Amino acid sequence: MSYFFPPEVMGSHIGASHCHSTRRRHAIEFRGLTALFGHMGIELDPVKESDVEKQGFERYIKLHKSLRSLLHSGNSWRLMTDDKAHQISAVVAKDKSQAVIQIAQLAMPTNSLKWSLAHTWIGSKSTLSGFST
């Protein structure tokens, strides 16, 4: 998620499991959730991918389509954490009735204590449900 551009104008693509520019490998779950907060696309030839990869593309494309109106019309937030190993991004509906929150672990956590996410900025009639890999 960008500090400067809203999600609807940020291109975010699911690439191949083996990244040609960094030489790193990432699971479809990581790539799908990373591409979720933007103008999602696929940046590879899906015909050449395995059935597991194709199922992953389908899963994250469906998820993005189901959240697209919220992602492209809500208010974007980057929440502060007490640990630099965590990054929290959120998109909250203008009426605060729904939100999509992504908590990413960027490195090994500095603290071993559990923490909770307070969401007072979401409306009182909303429900908090999760989606994980």
Side-chain angles (χ1 to χ4, degrees), residues 32 71 79 95 100 129:
L71 290 168
L79 306 176
D95 66 0
V100 178
S129 60

Side-chain angles (χ1 to χ4, degrees), residues 1-55:
M1 181 178 273
S2 171
Y3 282 106
F4 306 107
F5 297 103
E8 65 270 19
V9 300
M10 285 297 300
S12 56
H13 301 109
I14 299 175
S17 64
H18 181 250
C19 180
H20 68 278
S21 59
T22 65
R23 303 284 186 229
R24 291 184 284 187
R25 292 187 180 274
H26 295 291
I28 184 61
E29 293 83 6
F30 175 83
R31 293 177 287 131
L33 290 173
T34 300
L36 187 66
F37 280 78
H39 189 84
M40 185 187 233
I42 303 290
E43 192 171 325
L44 50 76
D45 183 357
V47 175
K48 295 179 181 177
E49 299 298 321
S50 70
D51 289 341
V52 171
E53 287 283 304
K54 289 176 187 175
Q55 289 169 357

Side-chain angles (χ1 to χ4, degrees), residues 1 7 37 70-72 74-77 89-93 98-101:
M1 181 178 273
F37 280 78
L70 170 60
L71 290 168
H72 292 189
N75 294 316
S76 299
W77 295 84
S89 303
V91 177
V92 181
Q98 3 171 325
V100 178
I101 303 168

